[in-house]
Amino acid sequence: MSDWKQNLQKTRYVMDALLLVSFMIVSAPQATGVPLHEWLSLLFIVPFAIHLLLHWDWITHSFKRLFSKISAKERFNTVWNYLLYLMMLLATVSGFLVSVALLPTLQIDINIQDFWSKVHHDSATLIMPMIGIHLALHWNWIVQLTKRMVSKKA
Amino acid sequence: MKYLQYQWKSRLFYVLAISILVSVMLVSLEWTSWAEQINSQGYTHGEGEGKMPSILMYILPFVKELILIGVPMLITVALAKLIGRFKKRK
Ligand code: HEM
Ligand code: HEM
């Protein structure tokens, strides 16, 4: 367990777990209260950015690979990741545009539109099943890594 | 951590720059007729019930998330297994 920093897959595993937990907290403003939700969402950018940085190779190669001979699963996975990225940005952007605590604290005045309230609600809700499918597409990896993390050796 | 720290400054810069660029494009949705239509219709949600035992306020949102994430996940895993088995038989 203590050697996870030395292994790329294990580093990803720990960071992915952190990402999932922080995502679930951010997605429950009813439990945290809206002001805390807003500040935690700002903080959430960190595990999210880490998730992307740890897949740098995928980011730089995925688009070109779409035009080569790849499996249907990989193609779907790539498109899905792009959609997920867009949806995450949409949820974050619309979140800022309906902010009632963070932006006012920073002395930024905005006029909240019903449109962005709806977009924030809908995108935040839609992203949950999208992440479910994202996790399913990496199911084998999750099972395999969980076994490796639990067992003492290698 | 060494994997995370590898060239992290330039990589983070790219990720953030692209994300901010795309975000600015997303903000322009505000000028579409779609946005106009929703703004003129008005939108409210979450009012009503109100009287919920307070512990449930800490539990229900997470139950909702577990279902909304977990059910599509399990369906997709089952489907992928089915497709995999079908392909092997051919
Ligand atoms: C709570 C949210 C998320 C969780 C729990 C999660 C979890 C995972 C897991 C378990 C993997 C496979 C293991 C690995 O290689 O690390 C993975 C891969 C990946 N995820 Fe996520 N993810 C989340 C959100 C996102 C989002 C929003 C994007 C948007 C772009 C994304 C992009 C990717 C990419 C590019 C890969 C690797 C590519 C591949 O091999 O298919 N993830 N994620
Ligand atoms: C990954 C990013 C985010 C996710 C997944 C997310 C998720 C959610 C969810 C699920 C709700 C409850 C919506 C409802 O039931 O109507 C909500 C409400 C809210 N969020 Fe976020 N949020 C994110 C980012 C942000 C950010 C960055 C801000 C502001 C700085 C923000 C501000 C708000 C506000 C003010 C509400 C309450 C307004 C309402 O209920 O419509 N959110 N968010």
Side-chain angles (χ1 to χ4, degrees):
Chain A
M1 207 33 206
S2 57
D3 67 335
W4 62 269
K5 290 177 194 161
Q6 301 307 320
N7 179 295
L8 176 59
Q9 299 300 340
K10 289 187 178 179
T11 304
R12 283 176 175 163
Y13 190 87
V14 171
M15 292 301 159
D16 288 351
L18 192 80
L19 179 65
L20 184 60
V21 170
S22 36
F23 172 78
M24 291 192 67
I25 296 173
V26 160
S27 297
Q30 301 90 340
T32 61
V34 168
L36 195 57
H37 166 74
E38 296 189 7
W39 290 99
L40 290 177
S41 300
L42 195 63
L43 210 63
F44 176 75
I45 294 175
V46 175
F48 181 47
I50 289 177
H51 191 57
L52 293 183
L53 288 194
L54 286 176
H55 287 288
W56 187 258
D57 290 338
W58 182 91
I59 297 176
T60 51
H61 293 109
S62 65
F63 190 70
K64 236 195 271 159
R65 282 179 67 84
L66 277 182
F67 300 98
S68 60
K69 251 199 182 151
I70 53 174
S71 67
K73 185 181 173 187
E74 183 179 344
R75 201 174 292 277
F76 181 80
N77 183 45
T78 297
V79 174
W80 199 255
N81 282 337
Y82 292 160
L83 289 176
L84 202 54
Y85 176 68
L86 278 180
M87 200 51 79
M88 195 59 102
L89 284 187
L90 190 60
T92 310
V93 165
S94 58
F96 280 112
L97 294 173
V98 297
S99 168
V100 290
L102 199 157
L103 293 190
T105 303
L106 300 175
Q107 313 280 329
I108 301 173
D109 250 335
I110 51 161
N111 193 359
I112 295 176
Q113 300 187 15
D114 280 346
F115 170 65
W116 288 117
S117 300
K118 184 170 164 53
V119 168
H120 192 57
H121 174 261
D122 291 355
S123 59
T125 307
L126 199 62
I127 212 161
M128 293 175 199
M130 286 182 73
I131 281 173
I133 292 172
H134 180 63
L135 292 176
L137 290 172
H138 297 91
W139 190 250
N140 292 337
W141 182 90
I142 295 173
V143 172
Q144 205 188 326
L145 257 287
T146 305
K147 282 185 196 149
R148 267 176 70 189
M149 294 299 286
V150 173
S151 82
K152 296 238 159 45
K153 45 185 181 357
Chain B
M1 284 299 138
K2 63 176 177 183
Y3 293 100
L4 192 55
Q5 283 164 349
Y6 182 70
Q7 295 190 349
W8 72 277
K9 279 183 194 155
S10 62
R11 291 177 172 187
L12 185 65
F13 174 79
Y14 278 115
V15 165
L16 287 182
I18 293 174
S19 299
I20 292 172
L21 202 81
V22 177
S23 299
V24 169
M25 279 156 53
L26 287 172
V27 172
S28 68
L29 285 174
E30 197 169 314
W31 320 119
T32 60
S33 59
W34 175 44
E36 223 168 86
Q37 191 199 343
I38 289 167
N39 276 329
S40 66
Q41 277 171 359
Y43 173 76
T44 50
H45 68 281
E47 275 127 55
E49 74 268 13
K51 281 218 175 65
M52 208 197 278
S54 57
I55 343 154
L56 283 186
M57 287 296 284
Y58 296 100
I59 300 173
L60 283 185
F62 294 104
V63 174
K64 168 186 153 191
E65 285 183 54
L66 284 176
I67 293 172
L68 246 51
I69 296 173
V71 172
M73 180 178 86
L74 293 178
I75 293 176
T76 311
V77 169
L79 253 152
K81 290 229 159 99
L82 266 175
I83 294 173
R85 206 174 293 167
F86 184 71
K87 270 202 180 142
K88 243 183 253 154
R89 215 178 287 156
K90 264 204 295 192

